[in-house]
Amino acid sequence: MVRFQTMTPQEYKTNHRNFKIIYGFYPTPFGNCLIGITSTDNAIIYLGFVDKSNKEALTELKSNWPFSELIKNIGNEINEIIEKIFFKQISTNDSILVLMKGTEFQIKVWKALMFISDGTTITYEQIAQNIGKPKAVRAVGNAIMKNYIAYLVPCHRVVGKSGSNKYKWGTKRKENLLIHERKYINI
């Protein structure tokens, strides 16, 4: 079960000294990833797949959280989180905390993604309707594109009305994520 904490960009500017970001690079069934968690409550603030260099991925993490100090992981906290996310089915007894920083609209879109069933897809248009903004399809697409917590905030479950299958971390990976999820449906 994924639990949400949210903050606006302004709240981040005001409160960024309250936590540091612990980060690390880890292998997953879908390729290497970079994960960042808060030093206070291990909330995931970034989870992205690394297809380029580690340095480029770290630059993206830093650009999303520019005021926070980054500390390379030396403990086991992140290992346990990675294990929960990618190497076993998350049960209702498990809890993974994410901290999403964005506008009110973006947060509404990201929360709506959490209601898409594992292994299924819906359109950007359906998301816009689900959040009560049926004409905001393009804005929904932009918000989804700015999701910086891959897999857990499942933007990979959204497709274009025409069937387009874009994904920040590659369409093949998107297909593999959906196939992986389908393995656990009705277990």
PDB file of all heavy atoms in Angstrom, residues 1 7 9-11 29 37 42 49 55 59 61 65 97 111 115 122 129 134 143 145 158 162 164 166 170 174 177:
ATOM      1  N   MET A   1       0.841  -1.178   0.000  1.00  0.00           N
ATOM      2  CA  MET A   1       0.000   0.000   0.000  1.00  0.00           C
ATOM      3  C   MET A   1       0.888   1.244   0.000  1.00  0.00           C
ATOM      4  O   MET A   1       1.798   1.358   0.808  1.00  0.00           O
ATOM      5  CB  MET A   1      -0.890  -0.017   1.238  1.00  0.00           C
ATOM      6  CG  MET A   1      -1.760   1.206   1.354  1.00  0.00           C
ATOM      7  SD  MET A   1      -2.845   1.145   2.782  1.00  0.00           S
ATOM      8  CE  MET A   1      -1.831   1.999   3.960  1.00  0.00           C
ATOM      9  N   MET A   7       3.336  18.201  -0.637  1.00  0.00           N
ATOM     10  CA  MET A   7       3.720  19.572  -0.319  1.00  0.00           C
ATOM     11  C   MET A   7       3.759  20.376  -1.606  1.00  0.00           C
ATOM     12  O   MET A   7       4.013  19.832  -2.683  1.00  0.00           O
ATOM     13  CB  MET A   7       5.051  19.639   0.420  1.00  0.00           C
ATOM     14  CG  MET A   7       6.267  19.287  -0.380  1.00  0.00           C
ATOM     15  SD  MET A   7       7.879  19.607   0.434  1.00  0.00           S
ATOM     16  CE  MET A   7       7.684  18.962   2.048  1.00  0.00           C
ATOM     17  N   PRO A   9       5.373  23.538  -3.902  1.00  0.00           N
ATOM     18  CA  PRO A   9       6.727  24.071  -4.050  1.00  0.00           C
ATOM     19  C   PRO A   9       7.052  25.131  -2.990  1.00  0.00           C
ATOM     20  O   PRO A   9       8.178  25.189  -2.490  1.00  0.00           O
ATOM     21  CB  PRO A   9       6.719  24.663  -5.463  1.00  0.00           C
ATOM     22  CG  PRO A   9       5.724  23.814  -6.200  1.00  0.00           C
ATOM     23  CD  PRO A   9       4.649  23.541  -5.189  1.00  0.00           C
ATOM     24  N   GLN A  10       6.076  25.942  -2.628  1.00  0.00           N
ATOM     25  CA  GLN A  10       6.312  26.969  -1.606  1.00  0.00           C
ATOM     26  C   GLN A  10       6.575  26.331  -0.240  1.00  0.00           C
ATOM     27  O   GLN A  10       7.459  26.765   0.502  1.00  0.00           O
ATOM     28  CB  GLN A  10       5.124  27.942  -1.518  1.00  0.00           C
ATOM     29  CG  GLN A  10       5.369  29.104  -0.578  1.00  0.00           C
ATOM     30  CD  GLN A  10       6.623  29.905  -0.915  1.00  0.00           C
ATOM     31  OE1 GLN A  10       6.886  30.218  -2.076  1.00  0.00           O
ATOM     32  NE2 GLN A  10       7.430  30.211   0.080  1.00  0.00           N
ATOM     33  N   GLU A  11       5.815  25.307   0.109  1.00  0.00           N
ATOM     34  CA  GLU A  11       6.051  24.602   1.374  1.00  0.00           C
ATOM     35  C   GLU A  11       7.449  23.988   1.398  1.00  0.00           C
ATOM     36  O   GLU A  11       8.125  23.992   2.430  1.00  0.00           O
ATOM     37  CB  GLU A  11       4.997  23.514   1.592  1.00  0.00           C
ATOM     38  CG  GLU A  11       3.629  24.049   1.913  1.00  0.00           C
ATOM     39  CD  GLU A  11       2.550  22.972   1.902  1.00  0.00           C
ATOM     40  OE1 GLU A  11       2.629  22.025   1.098  1.00  0.00           O
ATOM     41  OE2 GLU A  11       1.617  23.119   2.704  1.00  0.00           O
ATOM     42  N   PRO A  29      14.164  -5.473 -11.590  1.00  0.00           N
ATOM     43  CA  PRO A  29      13.838  -6.311 -12.754  1.00  0.00           C
ATOM     44  C   PRO A  29      13.639  -5.496 -14.035  1.00  0.00           C
ATOM     45  O   PRO A  29      13.569  -6.067 -15.123  1.00  0.00           O
ATOM     46  CB  PRO A  29      12.522  -6.986 -12.352  1.00  0.00           C
ATOM     47  CG  PRO A  29      12.477  -6.911 -10.869  1.00  0.00           C
ATOM     48  CD  PRO A  29      13.211  -5.652 -10.498  1.00  0.00           C
ATOM     49  N   ILE A  37      15.180   9.098  -0.673  1.00  0.00           N
ATOM     50  CA  ILE A  37      14.220   9.080   0.437  1.00  0.00           C
ATOM     51  C   ILE A  37      14.574  10.194   1.418  1.00  0.00           C
ATOM     52  O   ILE A  37      15.720  10.646   1.474  1.00  0.00           O
ATOM     53  CB  ILE A  37      14.195   7.718   1.175  1.00  0.00           C
ATOM     54  CG1 ILE A  37      15.540   7.411   1.826  1.00  0.00           C
ATOM     55  CG2 ILE A  37      13.771   6.605   0.232  1.00  0.00           C
ATOM     56  CD1 ILE A  37      15.544   6.185   2.737  1.00  0.00           C
ATOM     57  N   ASN A  42      11.854   8.276   5.829  1.00  0.00           N
ATOM     58  CA  ASN A  42      12.084   7.381   4.691  1.00  0.00           C
ATOM     59  C   ASN A  42      11.018   7.486   3.611  1.00  0.00           C
ATOM     60  O   ASN A  42      10.745   6.523   2.903  1.00  0.00           O
ATOM     61  CB  ASN A  42      12.202   5.925   5.155  1.00  0.00           C
ATOM     62  CG  ASN A  42      13.443   5.669   5.978  1.00  0.00           C
ATOM     63  OD1 ASN A  42      14.375   6.468   5.975  1.00  0.00           O
ATOM     64  ND2 ASN A  42      13.465   4.567   6.689  1.00  0.00           N
ATOM     65  N   PHE A  49      14.148   5.380 -13.341  1.00  0.00           N
ATOM     66  CA  PHE A  49      15.008   4.395 -13.977  1.00  0.00           C
ATOM     67  C   PHE A  49      16.172   5.113 -14.640  1.00  0.00           C
ATOM     68  O   PHE A  49      16.035   6.216 -15.158  1.00  0.00           O
ATOM     69  CB  PHE A  49      14.207   3.575 -14.989  1.00  0.00           C
ATOM     70  CG  PHE A  49      13.157   2.739 -14.323  1.00  0.00           C
ATOM     71  CD1 PHE A  49      11.825   3.096 -14.371  1.00  0.00           C
ATOM     72  CD2 PHE A  49      13.514   1.599 -13.610  1.00  0.00           C
ATOM     73  CE1 PHE A  49      10.853   2.339 -13.737  1.00  0.00           C
ATOM     74  CE2 PHE A  49      12.554   0.835 -12.974  1.00  0.00           C
ATOM     75  CZ  PHE A  49      11.219   1.207 -13.031  1.00  0.00           C
ATOM     76  N   LYS A  55      25.306  10.047 -13.187  1.00  0.00           N
ATOM     77  CA  LYS A  55      25.474  11.488 -12.953  1.00  0.00           C
ATOM     78  C   LYS A  55      24.265  12.268 -13.485  1.00  0.00           C
ATOM     79  O   LYS A  55      23.762  13.171 -12.817  1.00  0.00           O
ATOM     80  CB  LYS A  55      26.764  11.977 -13.609  1.00  0.00           C
ATOM     81  CG  LYS A  55      27.073  13.424 -13.336  1.00  0.00           C
ATOM     82  CD  LYS A  55      28.392  13.853 -13.961  1.00  0.00           C
ATOM     83  CE  LYS A  55      28.639  15.321 -13.678  1.00  0.00           C
ATOM     84  NZ  LYS A  55      29.880  15.794 -14.271  1.00  0.00           N
ATOM     85  N   THR A  59      21.584  14.418 -11.332  1.00  0.00           N
ATOM     86  CA  THR A  59      21.298  15.816 -11.675  1.00  0.00           C
ATOM     87  C   THR A  59      19.788  16.047 -11.723  1.00  0.00           C
ATOM     88  O   THR A  59      19.290  17.072 -11.263  1.00  0.00           O
ATOM     89  CB  THR A  59      21.948  16.185 -13.030  1.00  0.00           C
ATOM     90  OG1 THR A  59      23.364  16.044 -12.892  1.00  0.00           O
ATOM     91  CG2 THR A  59      21.612  17.602 -13.450  1.00  0.00           C
ATOM     92  N   LEU A  61      17.478  14.313 -10.049  1.00  0.00           N
ATOM     93  CA  LEU A  61      17.017  14.285  -8.665  1.00  0.00           C
ATOM     94  C   LEU A  61      17.269  15.639  -8.011  1.00  0.00           C
ATOM     95  O   LEU A  61      16.382  16.223  -7.387  1.00  0.00           O
ATOM     96  CB  LEU A  61      17.728  13.175  -7.879  1.00  0.00           C
ATOM     97  CG  LEU A  61      17.602  13.207  -6.359  1.00  0.00           C
ATOM     98  CD1 LEU A  61      16.162  13.107  -5.903  1.00  0.00           C
ATOM     99  CD2 LEU A  61      18.443  12.103  -5.734  1.00  0.00           C
ATOM    100  N   TRP A  65      14.668  18.643  -6.337  1.00  0.00           N
ATOM    101  CA  TRP A  65      14.757  18.990  -4.913  1.00  0.00           C
ATOM    102  C   TRP A  65      15.997  19.859  -4.699  1.00  0.00           C
ATOM    103  O   TRP A  65      16.922  19.477  -3.986  1.00  0.00           O
ATOM    104  CB  TRP A  65      14.816  17.712  -4.069  1.00  0.00           C
ATOM    105  CG  TRP A  65      13.599  16.860  -4.240  1.00  0.00           C
ATOM    106  CD1 TRP A  65      13.397  15.876  -5.162  1.00  0.00           C
ATOM    107  CD2 TRP A  65      12.388  16.962  -3.493  1.00  0.00           C
ATOM    108  NE1 TRP A  65      12.140  15.353  -5.022  1.00  0.00           N
ATOM    109  CE2 TRP A  65      11.501  15.993  -3.992  1.00  0.00           C
ATOM    110  CE3 TRP A  65      11.974  17.764  -2.427  1.00  0.00           C
ATOM    111  CZ2 TRP A  65      10.217  15.815  -3.487  1.00  0.00           C
ATOM    112  CZ3 TRP A  65      10.693  17.577  -1.919  1.00  0.00           C
ATOM    113  CH2 TRP A  65       9.836  16.613  -2.442  1.00  0.00           C
ATOM    114  N   LEU A  97       5.751   4.965   1.927  1.00  0.00           N
ATOM    115  CA  LEU A  97       5.394   6.376   1.993  1.00  0.00           C
ATOM    116  C   LEU A  97       6.085   7.130   0.866  1.00  0.00           C
ATOM    117  O   LEU A  97       7.289   6.960   0.646  1.00  0.00           O
ATOM    118  CB  LEU A  97       5.821   6.944   3.348  1.00  0.00           C
ATOM    119  CG  LEU A  97       5.528   8.409   3.624  1.00  0.00           C
ATOM    120  CD1 LEU A  97       4.020   8.678   3.619  1.00  0.00           C
ATOM    121  CD2 LEU A  97       6.126   8.807   4.971  1.00  0.00           C
ATOM    122  N   LYS A 111      -2.584  11.587  -7.486  1.00  0.00           N
ATOM    123  CA  LYS A 111      -3.413  10.764  -6.599  1.00  0.00           C
ATOM    124  C   LYS A 111      -4.416   9.938  -7.409  1.00  0.00           C
ATOM    125  O   LYS A 111      -4.696   8.790  -7.069  1.00  0.00           O
ATOM    126  CB  LYS A 111      -4.139  11.635  -5.577  1.00  0.00           C
ATOM    127  CG  LYS A 111      -3.241  12.093  -4.450  1.00  0.00           C
ATOM    128  CD  LYS A 111      -4.026  12.880  -3.422  1.00  0.00           C
ATOM    129  CE  LYS A 111      -3.166  13.223  -2.220  1.00  0.00           C
ATOM    130  NZ  LYS A 111      -3.923  13.946  -1.188  1.00  0.00           N
ATOM    131  N   PHE A 115      -5.653   5.089  -8.322  1.00  0.00           N
ATOM    132  CA  PHE A 115      -6.908   4.341  -8.408  1.00  0.00           C
ATOM    133  C   PHE A 115      -7.016   3.492  -9.670  1.00  0.00           C
ATOM    134  O   PHE A 115      -8.016   2.822  -9.878  1.00  0.00           O
ATOM    135  CB  PHE A 115      -8.102   5.301  -8.304  1.00  0.00           C
ATOM    136  CG  PHE A 115      -8.192   5.947  -6.953  1.00  0.00           C
ATOM    137  CD1 PHE A 115      -7.723   7.230  -6.749  1.00  0.00           C
ATOM    138  CD2 PHE A 115      -8.724   5.257  -5.878  1.00  0.00           C
ATOM    139  CE1 PHE A 115      -7.784   7.829  -5.499  1.00  0.00           C
ATOM    140  CE2 PHE A 115      -8.790   5.829  -4.623  1.00  0.00           C
ATOM    141  CZ  PHE A 115      -8.317   7.123  -4.430  1.00  0.00           C
ATOM    142  N   ILE A 122      -5.734   3.305 -18.590  1.00  0.00           N
ATOM    143  CA  ILE A 122      -6.812   4.232 -18.928  1.00  0.00           C
ATOM    144  C   ILE A 122      -6.194   5.396 -19.688  1.00  0.00           C
ATOM    145  O   ILE A 122      -4.976   5.519 -19.763  1.00  0.00           O
ATOM    146  CB  ILE A 122      -7.602   4.713 -17.689  1.00  0.00           C
ATOM    147  CG1 ILE A 122      -6.754   5.615 -16.793  1.00  0.00           C
ATOM    148  CG2 ILE A 122      -8.139   3.542 -16.888  1.00  0.00           C
ATOM    149  CD1 ILE A 122      -7.574   6.275 -15.681  1.00  0.00           C
ATOM    150  N   GLN A 129     -11.426  13.405 -16.600  1.00  0.00           N
ATOM    151  CA  GLN A 129     -12.813  13.258 -16.149  1.00  0.00           C
ATOM    152  C   GLN A 129     -12.871  12.835 -14.680  1.00  0.00           C
ATOM    153  O   GLN A 129     -13.680  13.351 -13.913  1.00  0.00           O
ATOM    154  CB  GLN A 129     -13.549  12.242 -17.026  1.00  0.00           C
ATOM    155  CG  GLN A 129     -13.792  12.742 -18.427  1.00  0.00           C
ATOM    156  CD  GLN A 129     -14.275  11.658 -19.376  1.00  0.00           C
ATOM    157  OE1 GLN A 129     -14.403  10.492 -19.014  1.00  0.00           O
ATOM    158  NE2 GLN A 129     -14.528  12.052 -20.626  1.00  0.00           N
ATOM    159  N   PRO A 134     -12.740  17.718 -17.146  1.00  0.00           N
ATOM    160  CA  PRO A 134     -12.774  16.990 -18.418  1.00  0.00           C
ATOM    161  C   PRO A 134     -12.099  17.702 -19.587  1.00  0.00           C
ATOM    162  O   PRO A 134     -11.699  17.055 -20.547  1.00  0.00           O
ATOM    163  CB  PRO A 134     -14.271  16.798 -18.677  1.00  0.00           C
ATOM    164  CG  PRO A 134     -14.948  17.810 -17.830  1.00  0.00           C
ATOM    165  CD  PRO A 134     -14.064  18.048 -16.653  1.00  0.00           C
ATOM    166  N   ALA A 143       1.057  17.018 -16.225  1.00  0.00           N
ATOM    167  CA  ALA A 143       1.253  16.621 -14.830  1.00  0.00           C
ATOM    168  C   ALA A 143       1.821  15.207 -14.749  1.00  0.00           C
ATOM    169  O   ALA A 143       2.731  14.938 -13.961  1.00  0.00           O
ATOM    170  CB  ALA A 143      -0.063  16.715 -14.063  1.00  0.00           C
ATOM    171  N   MET A 145       3.604  13.700 -16.976  1.00  0.00           N
ATOM    172  CA  MET A 145       4.977  13.751 -17.455  1.00  0.00           C
ATOM    173  C   MET A 145       5.935  14.219 -16.353  1.00  0.00           C
ATOM    174  O   MET A 145       7.102  13.852 -16.332  1.00  0.00           O
ATOM    175  CB  MET A 145       5.071  14.687 -18.661  1.00  0.00           C
ATOM    176  CG  MET A 145       6.420  14.715 -19.326  1.00  0.00           C
ATOM    177  SD  MET A 145       6.421  15.769 -20.790  1.00  0.00           S
ATOM    178  CE  MET A 145       6.242  17.379 -20.062  1.00  0.00           C
ATOM    179  N   VAL A 158      -1.209   4.871 -17.977  1.00  0.00           N
ATOM    180  CA  VAL A 158      -1.978   5.841 -18.751  1.00  0.00           C
ATOM    181  C   VAL A 158      -1.511   5.813 -20.201  1.00  0.00           C
ATOM    182  O   VAL A 158      -0.311   5.817 -20.472  1.00  0.00           O
ATOM    183  CB  VAL A 158      -1.841   7.265 -18.162  1.00  0.00           C
ATOM    184  CG1 VAL A 158      -2.702   8.249 -18.940  1.00  0.00           C
ATOM    185  CG2 VAL A 158      -2.211   7.280 -16.679  1.00  0.00           C
ATOM    186  N   SER A 162      -5.618   7.703 -28.650  1.00  0.00           N
ATOM    187  CA  SER A 162      -5.320   7.086 -29.939  1.00  0.00           C
ATOM    188  C   SER A 162      -4.495   5.810 -29.788  1.00  0.00           C
ATOM    189  O   SER A 162      -4.120   5.178 -30.770  1.00  0.00           O
ATOM    190  CB  SER A 162      -4.554   8.071 -30.822  1.00  0.00           C
ATOM    191  OG  SER A 162      -3.281   8.334 -30.234  1.00  0.00           O
ATOM    192  N   SER A 164      -1.512   5.844 -28.172  1.00  0.00           N
ATOM    193  CA  SER A 164      -0.093   6.158 -27.999  1.00  0.00           C
ATOM    194  C   SER A 164       0.361   5.677 -26.627  1.00  0.00           C
ATOM    195  O   SER A 164      -0.392   5.671 -25.663  1.00  0.00           O
ATOM    196  CB  SER A 164       0.160   7.660 -28.161  1.00  0.00           C
ATOM    197  OG  SER A 164      -0.437   8.380 -27.111  1.00  0.00           O
ATOM    198  N   LYS A 166       3.432   6.533 -24.848  1.00  0.00           N
ATOM    199  CA  LYS A 166       4.626   7.237 -24.395  1.00  0.00           C
ATOM    200  C   LYS A 166       4.885   6.953 -22.920  1.00  0.00           C
ATOM    201  O   LYS A 166       3.963   6.748 -22.138  1.00  0.00           O
ATOM    202  CB  LYS A 166       4.475   8.743 -24.591  1.00  0.00           C
ATOM    203  CG  LYS A 166       4.380   9.166 -26.030  1.00  0.00           C
ATOM    204  CD  LYS A 166       4.204  10.653 -26.127  1.00  0.00           C
ATOM    205  CE  LYS A 166       4.030  11.054 -27.580  1.00  0.00           C
ATOM    206  NZ  LYS A 166       3.773  12.484 -27.701  1.00  0.00           N
ATOM    207  N   GLY A 170      10.700   4.904 -21.308  1.00  0.00           N
ATOM    208  CA  GLY A 170      10.682   4.005 -22.453  1.00  0.00           C
ATOM    209  C   GLY A 170       9.443   3.124 -22.541  1.00  0.00           C
ATOM    210  O   GLY A 170       8.962   2.613 -21.541  1.00  0.00           O
ATOM    211  N   LYS A 174       7.576   0.322 -20.042  1.00  0.00           N
ATOM    212  CA  LYS A 174       6.166   0.481 -19.668  1.00  0.00           C
ATOM    213  C   LYS A 174       5.415  -0.830 -19.874  1.00  0.00           C
ATOM    214  O   LYS A 174       4.666  -1.270 -18.996  1.00  0.00           O
ATOM    215  CB  LYS A 174       5.545   1.597 -20.517  1.00  0.00           C
ATOM    216  CG  LYS A 174       4.085   1.861 -20.247  1.00  0.00           C
ATOM    217  CD  LYS A 174       3.611   3.046 -21.079  1.00  0.00           C
ATOM    218  CE  LYS A 174       2.195   3.425 -20.745  1.00  0.00           C
ATOM    219  NZ  LYS A 174       1.818   4.722 -21.288  1.00  0.00           N
ATOM    220  N   LEU A 177       6.415  -3.336 -17.203  1.00  0.00           N
ATOM    221  CA  LEU A 177       5.814  -3.034 -15.897  1.00  0.00           C
ATOM    222  C   LEU A 177       4.380  -3.556 -15.840  1.00  0.00           C
ATOM    223  O   LEU A 177       3.966  -4.154 -14.840  1.00  0.00           O
ATOM    224  CB  LEU A 177       5.837  -1.528 -15.635  1.00  0.00           C
ATOM    225  CG  LEU A 177       7.202  -0.897 -15.380  1.00  0.00           C
ATOM    226  CD1 LEU A 177       7.110   0.625 -15.390  1.00  0.00           C
ATOM    227  CD2 LEU A 177       7.800  -1.387 -14.074  1.00  0.00           C
TER     228      LEU A 177
END
